[in-house]
């Protein structure tokens, strides 16, 4: 029923927005028919050192594969975020920082202060031998120094690789090793919801496994942590006497800007590589149009910098656009469930952008936590990271936004660099739960997952993109073949998103979720293969299979089937131990919600695990197991059903 609700564009948006309905239609048509002309204009939102003359040079064809945008242009992204704003808005606040606990003093940095902090830190990196092209790992909590570290890397042409501060030492070590970064930037501890996160201790533990020459540590909580002479550097002390001026490297548009590891359906996480020019145009353009953003507006994206949303929409997008971006260290439910809305009131936030999982968790606690706050400053809401169910959408719209604020349900991926499919508040009537329409230059297609046939009109299938856009990732770091294999081999000549999607009769796109072996837990991508390999690394585990299951708050939960070694007793104690093991191996976000012991897993005669059956059992959709006759041993399924937690 909800799906049929339609919220028309409010009158003030229809006339006053940057992108109105007519403008969207006209710009979209041009972006597809005349990409050269379209991007030649859009690229001028940046300060180029050398203005590109080559605009789009892309092909997804196997024998002619290339993705190059603005390829003869040069620029520096940090200069685009900082230097060019100094004259006009040096004293404007660039970053508002709200700490974990409301009683801790808040901080703010003007564009000039951020410029100076970045210059000093860039000089420190140079003093420690970091050069253009070197990889630098950042493992920091949500503090302004995280933005400083990113911008300092960009300033000197180093490639940052941010690792979410919730990942374990093992996961951190793997990412350090993969990109061979010898410099790590961290803090003594992080703070989230009143709990301390031992960041420096985690870094020390991962340094036992990989070669690291320099650890730069921010003193944040002031905890007493071990310090390794020669290797460890105290951030504040080290920059104290360094100059704030640091020349910005002239980077080619196609030079790497950052690597961000993300999970796929197979193997270990891959290093998604983004380059400078195209990413910058994309992050800046999408931030401006999706949020109808103009400098002066207080804007808050509640994502962590450890994820791509934090890269594009906490740091780069808003700063390129001369905005004021709020960085929040804490969590939505600490000290209480009003925290988000108190922060909105405190700073008079106009644009608020968060993940559905947080909204669902807050929705459960009742409206009073929201309605006791004003929220009058809000004018636009955003949603990101996973499908938003219509109930959560309506709650967000009616309770949080008082029925006044359009919602941008932004579909995109680490790989896309920025928003791809989203309603624009001045252009599109909203349907709760629909990602709606493609942004400029984005050419979605729905294909039959079985054979790749293009499906027209109102339909459902796999979502592919038929042409490149500037923000597209360029490669998997160190493994270009894997890049091609992962994204362009399924449906030759097209980029496969991994998502399923429905297009309705009005042309709205609805993302239905992953159709590969990736699960989306609280808006975070987890590869089932990664969790399986963590489980089988345990001495008592012979085999494991992991699938997603529906979860009221998280969207999807993690359901693990585990076969233990011969002679091992499957006890509750062992179950707890294995769950704790996965937390330790990967991090708390990978904690299995259900762990079922299985004497055997359902396999075909050729030995392939039939995940379809495991998914159905996890979903408790057991009336509908489908054909099990091809199983090597169909009785395995009976045992799984009998021992499923749903059966109890
Ligand atoms: O399945 C889609 C889902 O999140 C995946 C991308 O995850 P990640 O690379 O971690 O990036 C998250 C932040 C962009 C997608 O393949 N997803 C993301 N946004 C939406 C979504 N699913 C439905 N609706 C969305 N708005």
């Amino acid at each position: 029923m909800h799906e049929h609700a339609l919220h028309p564009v409010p009158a003030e948006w229809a006339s006053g927005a940057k992108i109105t309905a007519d403008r969207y239609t006209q710009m979209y048509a041009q972006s597809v028919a005349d990409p050269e002309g379209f991007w030649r204009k859009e690229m001028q939102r940046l300060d180029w050192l050398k203005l590109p003359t080559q605009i789009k040079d892309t092909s997804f064809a196997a024998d002619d594969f290339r993705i190059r945008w603005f390829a003869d242009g040069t620029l520096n992204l940090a200069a685009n975020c900082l230097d060019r704003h100094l004259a006009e808005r040096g004293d404007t606040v660039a970053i508002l920082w709200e700490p974990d606990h409301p009683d801790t003093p808040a901080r703010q940095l003007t564009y000039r202060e951020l410029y100076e902090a970045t210059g000093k830190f860039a000089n420190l990196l140079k003093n420690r031998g970091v050069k253009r092209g070197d990889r630098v790992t950042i493992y920091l909590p949500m503090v302004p120094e995280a933005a400083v570290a990113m911008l300092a890397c960009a300033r000197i042409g180093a490639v940052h690789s941010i690792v979410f501060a919730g990942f374990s030492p093992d996961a951190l070590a793997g990412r350090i090793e993969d990109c061979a970064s010898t410099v790590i930037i961290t803090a003594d501890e992080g703070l989230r919801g009143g709990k301390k996160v031992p960041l420096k201790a985690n870094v020390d533990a991962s340094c036992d496994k990989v070669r690291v020459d320099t650890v730069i540590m921010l003193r944040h909580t002031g905890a007493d942590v071990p310090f390794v002479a020669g290797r460890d550097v105290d951030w504040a002390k080290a920059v104290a006497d360094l100059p704030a001026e640091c020349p910005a490297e002239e980077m080619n548009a196609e030079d790497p800007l950052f690597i961000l590891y993300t999970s796929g359906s197979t193997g270990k996480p891959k290093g998604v590589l983004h380059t400078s020019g195209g990413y910058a145009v994309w992050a800046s353009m999408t931030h401006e149009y999706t949020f109808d953003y103009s400098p002066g507006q207080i804007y808050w994206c509640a994502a962590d910098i450890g994820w791509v949303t934090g890269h594009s929409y906490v740091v780069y997008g808003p700063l390129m656009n001369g905005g004021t971006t709020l960085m929040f260290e804490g969590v939505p439910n600490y000290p209480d469930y009003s925290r988000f809305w108190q922060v909105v009131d405190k700073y008079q936030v106009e644009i608020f952008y968060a993940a559905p999982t947080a909204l669902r968790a807050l929705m459960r606690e009742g409206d009073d936590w929201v309605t006791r706050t004003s929220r009058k400053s809000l004018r636009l809401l955003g949603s990101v990271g996973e499908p938003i169910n219509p109930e959560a959408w309506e709650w967000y719209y009616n309770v949080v936004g008082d029925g006044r604020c359009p919602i941008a349900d932004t579909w995109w991926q680490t790989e896309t660099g920025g928003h791809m499919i989203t309603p624009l508040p001045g252009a599109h009537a909203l349907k709760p739960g629909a990602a709606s329409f493609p942004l400029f230059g984005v050419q979605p297609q729905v294909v039959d997952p079985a054979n790749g046939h293009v499906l027209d009109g109102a339909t459902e299938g796999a979502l592919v993109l038929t042409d490149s856009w500037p923000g597209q990732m360029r490669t998997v770091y160190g493994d270009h073949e894997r890049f091609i294999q992962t994204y362009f081999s399924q449906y030759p000549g097209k980029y496969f998103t991994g998502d399923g999607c429905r297009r309705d009769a009005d042309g709205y796109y609805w993302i239905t979720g992953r159709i590969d072996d990736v699960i989306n837990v609280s808006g975070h991508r987890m590869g089932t293969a990664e969790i399986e390999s963590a489980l089988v690394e345990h001495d008592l585990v012979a085999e494991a299979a992991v699938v997603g299951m529906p979860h009221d708050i998280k969207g999807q939960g993690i359901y693990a089937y585990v076969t233990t070694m011969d002679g091992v007793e499957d006890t509750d104690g062992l179950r707890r131990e294995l769950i704790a093991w996965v937390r330790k191996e990967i991090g708390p976000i990978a904690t299995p919600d259900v762990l079922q012991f299985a004497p055997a897993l359902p396999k075909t005669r050729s030995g392939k695990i039939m995940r379809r059956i495991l998914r159905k059992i996890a979903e408790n959709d057991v009336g509908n197991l489908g054909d099990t006759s091809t199983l090597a041993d169909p009785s395995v399924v009976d045992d799984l059903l009998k021992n499923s937690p749903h059966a109890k």
Side-chain angles (χ1 to χ4, degrees):
M1 205 190 91
H2 282 297
E3 288 190 9
H4 300 298
L6 191 71
H7 299 265
V9 178
E12 67 275 23
W13 284 90
S15 57
K18 293 188 184 219
I19 309 290
T20 57
D22 287 349
R23 204 150 157 63
Y24 170 80
T25 308
Q26 175 251 318
M27 285 174 75
Y28 184 78
Q30 195 209 352
S31 74
V32 174
D34 172 25
E36 295 273 331
F38 184 88
W39 295 110
R40 202 178 287 281
K41 183 147 175 285
E42 279 299 333
M43 75 187 185
Q44 290 177 25
R45 55 180 52 256
L46 300 183
D47 267 11
W48 295 88
L49 294 165
K50 176 175 179 298
L51 198 66
T53 62
Q54 302 163 9
I55 307 299
K56 180 176 189 283
D57 177 19
T58 70
S59 159
F60 291 169
D63 54 358
D64 186 30
F65 189 89
R66 66 211 132 85
I67 305 174
R68 291 158 57 81
W69 285 89
F70 315 113
D72 65 343
T74 65
L75 77 172
N76 182 282
L77 206 48
N80 270 281
C81 289
L82 301 171
D83 310 32
R84 68 163 163 161
H85 299 312
L86 292 181
E88 199 183 328
R89 55 179 75 90
D91 297 326
T92 300
V93 175
I95 298 181
L96 287 164
W97 180 72
E98 174 66 18
D100 186 49
H101 195 282
D103 293 344
T104 306
R107 292 167 58 193
Q108 56 182 49
L109 274 84
T110 63
Y111 271 94
R112 181 167 310 283
E113 288 165 337
L114 186 57
Y115 167 85
E116 289 174 358
T118 299
K120 279 172 172 276
F121 194 71
N123 282 321
L124 171 58
L125 290 175
K126 278 167 109 173
N127 288 352
R128 296 296 300 194
V130 179
K131 294 182 306 298
R132 189 182 168 111
D134 288 352
R135 279 79 51 218
V136 172
T137 296
I138 299 176
Y139 185 65
L140 281 170
M142 283 293 282
V143 290
E145 284 76 7
V148 170
M150 293 164 76
L151 293 164
C153 288
R155 190 159 197 94
I156 63 172
V159 182
H160 59 70
S161 163
I162 305 188
V163 179
F164 174 58
F167 277 122
S168 69
D170 268 358
L172 173 62
R175 286 157 174 79
I176 293 171
E177 191 172 32
D178 185 80
C179 69
S181 71
T182 58
V183 177
I184 319 298
I185 305 168
T186 191
D188 46 7
E189 292 177 325
L191 263 183
R192 271 172 71 84
K195 293 197 201 82
K196 294 185 165 154
V197 188
L199 298 180
K200 176 61 162 58
N202 287 352
V203 168
D204 288 340
S206 57
C207 286
D208 293 343
K209 303 179 206 283
V210 291
R211 179 193 140 191
V212 171
D213 298 335
T214 297
V215 176
I216 304 176
M217 188 192 81
L218 175 75
R219 291 201 188 271
H220 179 49
T221 63
D224 190 15
V225 289
F227 224 66
V228 178
R231 187 196 74 181
D232 294 357
V233 177
D234 181 310
W235 180 321
K237 277 192 199 147
V239 298
D241 296 324
L242 292 178
E245 297 302 324
C246 174
E249 282 281 319
E250 178 169 359
M251 305 304 289
N252 183 271
E254 284 296 332
D255 280 337
L257 174 70
F258 68 81
I259 299 168
L260 182 57
Y261 286 86
T262 191
S263 300
S265 45
T266 55
K268 55 187 177 95
K270 31 180 194 293
V272 167
L273 185 113
H274 281 287
T275 55
S276 304
Y279 171 81
V281 171
W282 196 250
S284 161
M285 182 191 84
T286 53
H287 175 261
E288 181 186 354
Y289 294 158
T290 302
F291 299 123
D292 194 56
Y293 190 80
S294 299
Q297 297 174 342
I298 308 294
Y299 159 90
W300 179 14
C301 166
D304 192 283
I305 48 125
W307 312 112
V308 73
T309 310
H311 286 61
S312 302
Y313 300 109
V314 177
V315 179
Y316 286 122
L319 294 181
M320 275 189 279
N321 292 341
T324 299
T325 180
L326 193 148
M327 247 180 136
F328 176 47
E329 183 184 24
V331 294
N333 59 356
Y334 176 81
D336 62 40
Y337 297 104
S338 268
R339 184 73 165 125
F340 268 178
W341 324 121
Q342 284 160 358
V343 174
V344 165
D345 284 352
K346 176 174 174 184
Y347 295 99
Q348 295 292 292
V349 170
E350 291 172 58
I351 300 158
F352 176 75
Y353 187 34
T357 187
L359 303 172
R360 285 191 297 263
L362 294 175
M363 181 168 83
R364 194 178 58 166
E365 302 303 325
D367 296 357
D368 183 54
W369 295 105
V370 186
T371 54
R372 67 173 65 162
T373 63
S374 159
R375 290 157 290 107
K376 287 244 169 1
S377 57
L378 288 174
R379 55 189 286 276
L380 179 67
L381 302 170
S383 171
V384 58
E386 48 176 325
I388 180 166
N389 47 311
E391 293 69 26
W393 195 100
E394 294 285 1
W395 184 81
Y396 199 22
Y397 186 79
N398 290 312
V399 180
V400 175
D402 283 329
R404 280 183 297 110
C405 310
I407 297 178
D409 176 1
T410 61
W411 173 83
W412 59 296
Q413 311 179 297
T414 305
E415 294 88 338
T416 70
H419 303 156
M420 298 293 279
I421 302 183
T422 179
L424 295 176
H428 302 125
L430 303 173
K431 295 192 185 189
S436 306
F437 293 101
L439 279 167
F440 309 127
V442 175
Q443 298 177 54
Q445 209 174 52
V446 182
V447 300
D448 183 333
N451 54 26
H453 290 169
V454 178
L455 303 172
D456 293 319
T459 187
E460 184 163 350
L463 178 64
V464 302
L465 303 165
T466 59
D467 200 357
S468 182
W469 62 100
Q472 183 168 26
M473 73 183 284
R474 299 297 194 264
T475 192
V476 170
Y477 185 79
D479 196 349
H480 195 64
E481 193 43 44
R482 188 171 175 202
F483 174 57
I484 307 280
Q485 267 303 318
T486 308
Y487 302 102
F488 302 95
S489 66
Q490 216 111 350
Y491 306 106
K494 296 170 186 177
Y495 169 86
F496 176 45
T497 61
D499 280 311
C501 141
R502 184 159 71 77
R503 187 174 48 223
D504 70 17
D506 301 323
Y508 281 69
Y509 288 87
W510 301 72
I511 309 298
T512 52
R514 301 290 301 201
I515 52 177
D516 54 6
D517 288 321
V518 169
I519 51 185
N520 193 323
V521 184
S522 304
H524 303 314
R525 241 162 100 165
M526 296 298 318
T528 52
E530 242 174 294
I531 306 171
E532 288 162 6
S533 85
L535 281 165
V536 295
E537 267 172 47
H538 191 283
D539 284 346
L540 302 183
V541 173
E543 197 169 26
V546 170
V547 296
M549 62 183 250
H551 189 287
D552 284 349
I553 305 289
K554 300 182 190 178
Q556 279 190 297
I558 298 173
Y559 196 122
Y561 297 87
V562 170
T563 308
T564 47
M565 294 288 187
D566 259 356
V568 173
E569 206 184 328
D570 297 341
T571 61
D572 281 339
L574 180 58
R575 177 181 291 115
R576 282 193 296 274
E577 181 182 326
L578 293 177
I579 291 174
W581 170 265
V582 176
R583 282 177 74 92
K584 182 184 86 48
E585 289 284 304
I586 303 176
I589 54 171
T591 309
D593 295 278
V594 174
L595 191 146
Q596 177 176 351
F597 289 115
L601 296 171
K603 289 186 185 163
T604 60
R605 286 187 201 97
S606 60
K608 200 167 170 309
I609 295 176
M610 282 185 82
R611 288 170 177 277
R612 175 176 56 82
I613 292 174
L614 296 177
R615 271 188 219 115
K616 292 279 184 200
I617 296 173
E619 287 163 11
N620 200 17
D621 183 14
V622 293
N624 191 13
L625 283 185
D627 182 11
T628 55
S629 63
T630 55
L631 286 174
D633 176 6
S635 73
V636 167
V637 175
D638 299 333
D639 182 88
L640 288 176
L641 286 172
K642 202 169 71 218
N643 291 309
S644 138
H646 300 304
K648 289 174 188 156

